[in-house]
Amino acid sequence: MSNYFEALGLKEFPVPTQADVKSAFRRQAQQWHPDRDPKNAERFKLISAAYTGLQSQHDIEDYVWRLHAAILTKSQQSWVIAWAEVTGEQAPNFT
């Protein structure tokens, strides 16, 4: 499992809402809770970390940016930052 959305069984697009994340967490937590099967402890930790990392809508949108920033070249990153400055949006931090 490589990212939080996969851990929770969500798709990146359209960007999930807080309600989507909460619902997905509850569904996955019930299925993978260690009380049901102690072998599920690691999977449950991953699901819990995903839920913790996606607490607010800002966190969710920032996470989507970071997922896609990893595949952008430096010139593409510069373009995204410049576009954010022109539109007045908050530029993502690619570091």
Side-chain angles (χ1 to χ4, degrees), residues 41-82:
E42 288 301 313
R43 177 75 183 258
F44 186 76
K45 286 179 188 176
L46 178 63
I47 293 165
S48 296
Y51 182 65
T52 301
L54 301 173
Q55 284 293 304
S56 70
Q57 193 63 36
H58 175 74
D59 293 339
I60 295 166
E61 292 169 4
D62 188 52
Y63 187 72
V64 170
W65 269 104
R66 290 179 186 277
L67 281 176
H68 296 283
I71 59 172
L72 294 177
T73 65
K74 287 292 182 188
S75 64
Q76 289 170 324
Q77 290 176 6
S78 299
W79 184 88
V80 169
I81 291 169

Side-chain angles (χ1 to χ4, degrees), residues 3-71:
N3 71 48
Y4 288 167
F5 292 135
E6 288 179 7
L8 294 173
L10 293 170
K11 295 186 183 207
E12 294 173 37
F13 296 103
V15 175
T17 64
Q18 286 177 276
D20 296 333
V21 170
K22 186 174 186 176
S23 174
F25 170 72
R26 288 184 176 184
R27 189 172 45 253
Q28 293 289 333
Q30 287 177 351
Q31 180 180 354
W32 296 101
H33 199 281
D35 287 350
R36 287 189 158 191
D37 185 354
K39 297 176 200 171
N40 294 337
E42 288 301 313
R43 177 75 183 258
F44 186 76
K45 286 179 188 176
L46 178 63
I47 293 165
S48 296
Y51 182 65
T52 301
L54 301 173
Q55 284 293 304
S56 70
Q57 193 63 36
H58 175 74
D59 293 339
I60 295 166
E61 292 169 4
D62 188 52
Y63 187 72
V64 170
W65 269 104
R66 290 179 186 277
L67 281 176
H68 296 283
I71 59 172

